[in-house]
Amino acid sequence: MKGLILSGGKGTRLYPLTYTRAKQLIPVANKPVLVRVIESIRDAGVTDIGIIVGDTAPEIKEALAKRPELGVNLTYIHQPSPDGLAHAVRIAQDFLGDDRFVMFLGDNVLQGGISDLIRQFASSDWNSQLVLKAVGMERASSYGVVELADDGRIRRLVEKPKIPPSNLALVGIYMFDAHIFEAVNSIGRSARGEYEITDAIQWLIDKGYHVFPHIHEGWWIDTGEPEEMLTANDFVLMEIEPSISPEADIINSQVDARVTVERGARIIDSVVRGPAIIGENTVIEQSYIGPFTSVYYDVVVRNCEIEHSIILENSRVMDLDVRLQDSLIGRSASVLRDHRKPRALKMNLGDHSTVWIPD
Ligand code: DAU
């Protein structure tokens, strides 16, 4: 069994954070989503993993090279342009050979492991298995949607249908045997110009191959939008086992039991209520950090209140007189107070940024 992770594409819906960064590297509870995906495949005993990369390849390679502890063999497969999920499978054929494989979209976060499912497929004679999640009917049109047959197999798949035939969405975890290559090499481009994996799977079904569903009962987040990043962060923070590094300094502060504090972090004269995580070498001083907050590494927070937010590396948040909440702050960003007159908002915002000013 091999693994294939899709980390190409352009994260336009996460602008401005993804102008200069691969969306799969944005951290949830201080760990990039892509690393969480690799861990869940590895935990099923699959260590030969291909990663489809596009324009952001250098950044992805650099980030993963720093994590030898993952213990996997990574093969990078370059996709010149994001021509679709089936195109990604097609260009991975040399790497995958005749092995059965699990394909995982690099920006999905799922509750619990999928180890048992991967192992079960590895020893079965099914041609494909797809992970599905029941979603609200109003959300179903944002995804690939499937219709089940009476015998429990999958009868039909449609990509982002205007009128969904069911509420069962494809969550972006697919298992295949080598017959998928016949399919991806037979289909044409869809109306939106991509080679769709849904069309390739429909081709398998139409040729009589056996495609089975697995309905996932836990939560699942496709981290395509800022609100979804915050929601994924909430869920993962609730699940991680909190720990305080012996190499962190906590001075004159209250840090509750559901807080993780990483190496080199310093918490001084502050209150931190979990679930929350404070990253490596970050300094929190005279501040309140509330539940569902992830502060990444090398950040300085001074004289502020922050709740339900993600703050990325090297940023500074200082001297605010309102609470920062429901926010996603990018890398090396500054949120500061200016005491000089005139009293006005002064901004240096990137394209596609949003600021909400309280009444
Ligand atoms: O999130 C689940 C949905 O993912 C499924 O329900 C849909 O059936 C499936 O098509 C897909 O839809 P998205 O619109 O979310 O796909 P997106 O373009 O965001 O790409 C998903 C991941 O695959 C992302 O990490 C980028 C990567 N990718 C995408 C394309 C189109 C590639 O590596 N190469 C590509 O050509």
Side-chain angles (χ1 to χ4, degrees):
M1 191 87 178
K2 285 186 177 148
L4 182 67
I5 300 175
L6 270 58
S7 274
K10 301 222 185 304
T12 48
R13 283 175 291 161
L14 271 170
Y15 279 169
L17 286 191
T18 49
Y19 268 129
T20 51
R21 133 166 305 196
K23 68 171 169 173
Q24 301 84 1
L25 290 180
I26 295 183
V28 161
N30 286 10
K31 190 185 280 183
V33 173
L34 178 59
V35 172
R36 295 188 180 280
V37 168
I38 293 174
E39 286 175 345
S40 60
I41 294 177
R42 178 207 57 196
D43 292 347
V46 178
T47 51
D48 264 340
I49 300 176
I51 304 199
I52 301 286
V53 286
D55 295 349
T56 55
E59 198 197 1
I60 289 178
K61 289 180 186 172
E62 193 191 323
L64 295 180
K66 287 186 196 147
R67 293 185 179 261
E69 75 281 5
L70 284 170
V72 288
N73 306 318
L74 298 176
T75 301
Y76 293 96
I77 302 159
H78 189 254
Q79 190 184 27
S81 63
D83 284 337
L85 309 189
H87 179 258
V89 173
R90 198 193 280 179
I91 62 171
Q93 187 165 1
D94 283 348
F95 164 74
L96 294 164
D98 288 333
D99 284 293
R100 298 167 84 72
F101 66 98
V102 56
M103 168 166 129
F104 214 127
L105 301 184
D107 53 359
N108 275 243
V109 193
L110 198 81
Q111 183 177 31
I114 50 152
S115 306
D116 289 346
L117 201 65
I118 295 177
R119 286 199 201 96
Q120 184 193 351
F121 181 76
S123 57
S124 77
D125 59 359
W126 299 352
N127 302 108
S128 171
Q129 188 174 23
L130 312 177
V131 181
L132 311 178
K133 172 81 192 158
V135 297
M137 236 12 195
E138 70 295 344
R139 282 176 58 211
S141 346
S142 310
Y143 303 112
V145 175
V146 311
E147 190 183 320
L148 299 184
D150 293 339
D151 64 0
R153 286 193 220 177
I154 293 175
R155 189 206 325 253
R156 192 162 75 96
L157 302 90
V158 211
E159 185 60 33
K160 302 192 176 71
K162 284 210 177 72
I163 301 166
S166 84
N167 68 340
L168 292 174
L170 289 160
V171 312
I173 302 174
Y174 315 78
M175 284 162 260
F176 298 112
D177 69 4
H179 289 290
I180 192 64
F181 298 117
E182 297 163 35
V184 296
N185 287 311
S186 302
I187 58 167
R189 286 184 191 264
S190 65
R192 64 170 176 168
E194 289 187 13
Y195 293 97
E196 309 284 353
I197 197 66
T198 35
D199 289 346
I201 301 165
Q202 187 68 53
W203 187 96
L204 287 179
I205 295 167
D206 294 344
K207 295 282 179 232
Y209 292 112
H210 297 175
V211 181
F212 286 92
H214 168 81
I215 300 178
H216 176 67
E217 298 297 345
W219 53 262
W220 155 63
I221 312 278
D222 166 14
T223 59
E225 314 256 352
E227 296 74 27
E228 292 162 345
M229 292 300 314
L230 286 171
T231 310
N233 193 56
D234 296 347
F235 281 132
V236 176
L237 281 175
M238 278 192 287
E239 286 192 352
I240 56 175
E241 197 59 48
S243 68
I244 296 195
S245 163
E247 292 166 64
D249 276 337
I250 299 179
I251 303 162
N252 196 27
S253 298
Q254 283 175 38
V255 174
D256 87 22
R258 293 167 306 157
V259 176
T260 295
V261 183
E262 297 184 309
R263 201 160 42 122
R266 307 192 72 215
I267 301 177
I268 308 157
D269 299 329
S270 297
V271 174
V272 186
R273 296 231 169 91
I277 183 165
I278 309 298
E280 284 187 17
N281 302 321
T282 277
V283 178
I284 309 287
E285 206 173 343
Q286 289 179 337
S287 294
Y288 164 76
I289 304 291
F292 302 106
T293 304
S294 293
V295 186
Y296 214 14
Y297 60 86
D298 290 329
V299 174
V300 178
V301 176
R302 186 171 299 139
N303 199 17
C304 289
E305 296 187 15
I306 303 180
E307 194 166 291
H308 190 241
S309 294
I310 299 176
I311 317 282
L312 297 194
E313 67 266 32
N314 298 313
S315 291
R316 296 180 302 155
V317 187
M318 295 185 189
D319 301 319
L320 306 186
D321 67 351
V322 283
R323 185 174 288 186
L324 188 74
Q325 193 171 292
D326 307 333
S327 296
L328 201 49
I329 306 287
R331 293 180 291 178
S332 304
S334 301
V335 186
L336 306 171
R337 190 169 175 80
D338 185 353
H339 298 281
R340 288 168 301 180
K341 297 269 190 294
R343 197 166 174 273
L345 288 168
K346 292 170 199 161
M347 298 190 193
N348 183 0
L349 285 186
D351 299 352
H352 294 265
S353 298
T354 313
V355 174
W356 288 271
I357 316 270
D359 272 345

